[in-house]
Amino acid sequence: MQATTALLHWYDRNFRTLPWRTPPNPELSGAKPNPYHVWLSEIMLQQTTVATVKTYFIKFTDLWPRLENLAEAEEEEVLKAWAGLGYYSRARNLHRCAKIVLRDYNGRFPEEEHKLQQLPGIGPYTAAAISSIAFNQHAAVVDGNVERVISRLRAITDRLPGAKPVIKSHMAALTPHERPGDFAQAVMDLGATVCTPRSPACTICPWVDLCEGRKQGIHESLPRKAPKRVKPTRKGMAFVIAREDGAIALRRRPDKGLLAGMSEPPTSQWSEDMKQDDLGQAPVKADWSLAPSTVKHTFTHFHLELAVWHTQVDAAFPLPEGYWWSVPETLEGEALPTVMRKVLKTPLA
DNA sequence: AAAGCGGGGTA
DNA sequence: TACCCAGCTTT
């Protein structure tokens, strides 16, 4: 197929080196992809940009060079290393997946898409990506970039997510049996660097003459998506208990729900009609002061505003069950999500 | 089928 | 500052 060949040539010329990638065309270079690296990077790249993932990927492979090492780590250590990347269920599923692959598959990932998709944290996209990139299997890889590129190339005007099966069948028809992994990465790279959501660089696109969306002048409006809902704003209070030596009192969040299993300074309930000066919500009796600024943070489905209250206590102060002191030297390495790091960075006066 | 789940990049 | 982007699991 002409479109396929043209894009593979574009990929060979525009290949971007990344820590988890092997050079294009495995049959020519002889370099074999590392399935552990491919899997780890693909999990990290879910909803997350390449630039952000790079440092975390290096940190993880440095801490746990092989899947076996990751499988034998404590979940707490994995959550600490993941802190700041977001969507923390990914870290828990990553760890569960490593244990299952070690136990059930002798530490080697299965090559087939349908077997990969049975593993925790691996859905339709990631199963196809690992199967094609790590094992050279013919799988149709569809992520957000592919949805955009293919819907423009074929002028698919049906709304997402309904149009997904049609996009997948077009991608399957375009995917070659020779270099399926390189082709999948080529379409995703094209979407990331040329066929961008806004102001696509059509003049340098290897598919410009084939692009049905551009011929019809509708490419920039594709893909069409379901309208998004407005995010409500929830309010709450965060409580920073500081000891004389600078240690901060932390606790662990519940194992289910938002920021599951992560650490935090204690907070009140978060709700739209929350009063931010009701110290009855404080975890301990103390002499509380209000910080001059509030912390603002946006999650997937709501905005959050936290009033920050703080108090200074002496070394003998008794903490509630389950709390612990984190001294300044250990604070950085705690499993603190970004919103809680914002709380701890808030000027107190 | 719809809702829940974070963080970073860009205009 | 406001808006945009993106895959898996649970309900």
Side-chain angles (χ1 to χ4, degrees):
Chain A
M1 172 151 299
Q2 188 51 46
T4 302
T5 309
L7 189 63
L8 282 171
H9 287 160
W10 175 88
Y11 185 66
D12 291 340
R13 290 195 309 275
N14 294 277
F15 179 77
R16 297 187 294 164
T17 299
L18 295 168
W20 50 86
R21 275 187 171 177
T22 50
N25 205 342
E27 289 177 16
L28 292 183
S29 72
K32 279 245 172 80
N34 179 331
Y36 171 55
H37 288 184
V38 172
W39 164 69
L40 178 60
S41 66
E42 289 299 344
I43 300 297
M44 288 181 167
L45 286 164
Q46 292 167 4
Q47 316 296 82
T48 311
T49 57
V50 168
T52 305
V53 165
K54 272 187 188 176
T55 57
Y56 282 88
F57 178 85
I58 291 166
K59 186 206 286 195
F60 268 67
T61 50
D62 191 41
L63 282 168
W64 304 294
R66 298 164 53 80
L67 176 128
E68 180 186 334
N69 308 129
L70 179 60
E72 289 167 354
E74 290 297 324
E75 183 188 89
E76 179 69 19
E77 296 308 308
V78 179
L79 284 177
K80 284 180 178 176
W82 195 273
L85 255 189
Y87 287 106
Y88 297 96
S89 64
R90 288 187 297 170
R92 303 158 76 82
N93 287 332
L94 183 86
H95 191 225
R96 285 174 52 210
C97 182
K99 286 177 168 302
I100 292 170
V101 171
L102 180 61
R103 190 192 61 201
D104 295 352
Y105 294 99
N106 276 319
R108 314 227 176 236
F109 281 92
E111 302 193 0
E112 304 89 341
E113 214 176 337
H114 71 274
K115 284 189 186 170
L116 286 163
Q117 208 179 318
Q118 301 306 310
L119 295 165
I122 299 182
Y125 161 74
T126 310
I130 296 172
S131 187
S132 68
I133 297 170
F135 300 116
N136 219 30
Q137 303 287 302
H138 187 267
V141 180
V142 180
D143 75 341
N145 286 306
V146 175
E147 286 173 355
R148 186 169 58 256
V149 171
I150 299 301
S151 66
R152 288 173 177 177
L153 178 71
R154 299 301 190 215
I156 296 164
T157 54
D158 297 332
R159 271 218 274 264
L160 284 170
K164 206 158 183 143
V166 182
I167 292 171
K168 185 152 181 142
S169 67
H170 279 284
M171 185 63 179
L174 285 164
T175 300
H177 289 269
E178 293 302 313
R179 297 168 58 189
D182 282 351
F183 181 78
Q185 294 180 88
V187 180
M188 293 190 281
D189 275 18
L190 189 70
T193 62
V194 175
C195 194
T196 49
R198 283 155 299 183
S199 310
C202 298
T203 55
I204 61 165
C205 181
W207 279 352
V208 61
D209 292 331
L210 300 167
C211 186
E212 202 56 40
R214 182 175 162 86
K215 286 177 192 166
Q216 297 178 21
I218 59 171
H219 53 294
E220 290 210 48
S221 72
L222 301 177
R224 300 204 175 141
K225 296 185 177 182
K228 38 188 146 285
R229 298 184 304 283
V230 292
K231 292 176 180 175
T233 298
R234 297 186 194 168
K235 296 181 178 184
M237 294 181 279
F239 299 97
V240 178
I241 309 169
R243 209 168 56 181
E244 290 152 334
D245 61 354
I248 304 292
L250 299 180
R251 68 180 181 188
R252 188 180 154 99
R253 292 181 58 86
D255 282 336
K256 290 207 177 287
L258 189 72
L259 306 174
M262 301 297 285
S263 304
E264 65 173 7
T267 64
S268 69
Q269 298 228 309
W270 309 343
S271 60
E272 291 181 53
D273 53 4
M274 180 77 196
K275 288 176 57 188
Q276 292 179 305
D277 58 359
D278 174 16
L279 290 175
Q281 297 252 342
V284 296
K285 272 208 163 82
D287 183 18
W288 294 105
S289 301
L290 180 62
S293 62
T294 63
V295 165
K296 296 183 196 300
H297 189 81
T298 298
F299 294 97
T300 313
H301 48 302
F302 66 94
H303 303 290
L304 177 65
E305 291 180 16
L306 287 175
V308 180
W309 290 86
H310 61 100
T311 189
Q312 179 94 34
V313 301
D314 60 40
F317 188 85
L319 287 178
E321 181 71 26
Y323 287 55
W324 69 90
W325 291 110
S326 188
V327 296
E329 299 77 53
T330 61
L331 207 52
E332 186 68 24
E334 298 280 2
L336 288 162
T338 297
V339 62
M340 300 306 168
R341 289 176 194 265
K342 287 183 187 175
V343 167
L344 297 181
K345 273 174 41 191
T346 299
L348 299 181

